[in-house]
Amino acid sequence: MAKRQEVLRWGEQQLREAGIVDWRTDSWLLYESAAHMNRTEFLLRRIENMPASERGVYENMVKRRCTHVPVQYITGEQVFMGYSFLVSEQVLIPRMDTEILVQTVEQCTKQAARVLDLCTGSGCIAVSLKKRNPQLQIMGTDISKEAIEIAYKNSRRMEVTVDFYVSDLFGYFQQIEQERLADTAIFPNGKIKFDRIVSNPPYIPTSVINGLDEEVRCHEPRIALDGTEDGLGFYRRITRESRNYLTDQGMLFYEIGYDQAEAVSDIMEAEGFGNITVIQDLAGLDRVVYGGMEHV
């Protein structure tokens, strides 16, 4: 038998030798997940023997991390906007930078707005918006069936109602409009319109993906990363098609790469969007672009 503190130190050593940069932090996160124990409890119980079952789980987690599988995919969780979201290798890991997008949408959105989250992935944007403002009517789409399943799990986990659909961007709504199946209680006259459309689309140029960090390149879903040849393909398509799905005073919000603000702003301006604004993240990098339909 080994004491809890000895097992944790073993994990730290394994990760350090494997070249994991944040070996101390990652070792603790894995330990916390395996032992279901916070730091205070660990300090109080650090010299007791760790049960073999817990130790086995922890050791397996450490071994996976040594192969550079991201911690979040090992524990199955990631904190975003203060909430713990389920994640798997079928969805992009939610990142703190994306919280800027959520906060920006909140600042520009009235209480009872209809919101569409495109490329929803884990559902972190849509679920966070709904959790923080229950009066919003929110829908989300993603081309990945596996991602939509995770998004639904997260909505249930957070005890909010968000409707998610497997769809290539607006494809689902195009279909139900054509078939006249739109819910008239939500969309008057069966015409599908949203007050806000938000998206963190794939925006990494195809040629850049192979040069990304191993943990991103080899484990996060390529479909959630690849923004076509120049990284702007989804921005062009969403901006063009969104004109059919925004209300007269509707607004479109994007997360962008640090060097894409000018290009995305130009795309939006070319489609008639006005009052285009760029928001920077905590590191001072361009992170969000948004604009309105006033001049469309």
Side-chain angles (χ1 to χ4, degrees):
M1 299 289 287
K3 299 185 186 307
R4 290 185 177 276
Q5 62 184 10
E6 295 171 346
V7 175
L8 180 61
R9 282 199 296 268
W10 171 86
E12 291 175 346
Q13 180 180 353
Q14 295 298 308
L15 297 183
R16 183 171 54 190
E17 292 177 354
I20 302 300
V21 176
D22 296 322
W23 51 271
R24 183 174 283 114
T25 297
D26 290 1
S27 178
W28 169 252
L29 291 173
L30 297 176
Y31 184 94
E32 182 180 44
S33 179
H36 306 288
M37 180 179 293
N38 61 35
R39 286 191 180 276
T40 300
E41 189 175 3
F42 170 76
L43 290 173
L44 293 173
R45 300 172 58 187
R46 65 187 184 278
I47 61 173
E48 73 175 26
N49 289 327
M50 189 172 186
S53 57
E54 289 183 9
R55 181 177 178 181
V57 171
Y58 177 65
E59 289 178 348
N60 286 333
M61 286 180 160
V62 169
K63 290 175 182 176
R64 289 189 66 197
R65 185 68 185 113
C66 285
T67 64
H68 293 266
V69 176
V71 169
Q72 295 88 344
Y73 290 150
I74 298 173
T75 64
E77 295 180 317
Q78 168 70 348
V79 174
F80 180 82
M81 297 297 296
Y83 310 118
S84 178
F85 283 86
L86 299 174
V87 296
S88 75
E89 293 198 17
Q90 280 70 50
V91 298
L92 201 67
I93 297 169
R95 288 165 167 79
M96 185 177 296
D97 290 339
T98 305
E99 294 185 357
I100 305 296
L101 178 61
V102 174
Q103 293 163 358
T104 302
V105 174
E106 285 182 321
Q107 293 166 5
C108 299
T109 304
K110 62 184 180 181
Q111 291 298 97
R114 290 187 298 272
V115 180
L116 174 62
D117 176 26
L118 297 172
C119 309
T120 194
S122 66
C124 64
I125 294 172
V127 171
S128 295
L129 286 169
K130 181 69 172 182
K131 187 73 174 176
R132 291 160 68 89
N133 184 354
Q135 295 187 52
L136 296 176
Q137 293 179 306
I138 303 183
M139 298 181 180
T141 70
D142 199 288
I143 198 170
S144 166
K145 177 182 177 182
E146 292 77 13
I148 291 299
E149 290 172 352
I150 292 170
Y152 264 120
K153 288 180 181 178
N154 280 318
S155 67
R156 291 192 292 268
R157 183 182 179 93
M158 304 299 170
E159 299 181 327
V160 298
T161 299
V162 178
D163 295 317
F164 292 107
Y165 304 98
V166 178
S167 175
D168 182 6
L169 300 181
F170 298 98
Y172 170 79
F173 300 107
Q174 293 172 349
Q175 179 181 346
I176 64 173
E177 268 197 341
Q178 291 171 0
E179 298 177 0
R180 299 183 180 180
L181 297 176
D183 187 343
T184 55
I186 301 175
F187 302 109
N189 303 317
K191 190 65 176 175
I192 299 172
K193 295 286 184 179
F194 296 93
D195 301 295
R196 303 289 183 264
I197 294 176
V198 55
S199 184
N200 177 17
Y203 58 69
I204 299 175
T206 304
S207 62
V208 173
I209 292 178
N210 288 336
L212 294 175
D213 181 81
E214 176 186 353
E215 295 185 15
V216 176
R217 183 183 72 251
C218 298
H219 297 284
E220 299 207 50
R222 189 182 182 98
I223 194 174
L225 299 171
D226 194 337
T228 70
E229 183 177 358
D230 62 357
L232 300 172
F234 284 90
Y235 295 113
R236 294 190 185 94
R237 183 177 167 194
I238 292 172
T239 304
R240 181 177 64 252
E241 295 181 17
S242 68
R243 296 173 56 180
N244 297 320
Y245 295 96
L246 280 168
T247 59
D248 290 343
Q249 300 300 314
M251 299 177 71
L252 176 62
F253 297 79
Y254 286 125
E255 178 172 330
I256 59 169
Y258 72 94
D259 59 350
Q260 294 176 320
E262 182 177 358
V264 174
S265 297
D266 288 345
I267 290 170
M268 295 179 70
E269 184 176 359
E271 291 293 344
F273 284 81
N275 298 321
I276 297 169
T277 304
V278 178
I279 303 294
Q280 295 181 327
D281 59 24
L282 297 178
L285 301 174
D286 294 337
R287 185 58 57 190
V288 170
V289 174
Y290 69 93
M293 286 277 285
E294 290 92 338
H295 305 294
V296 174

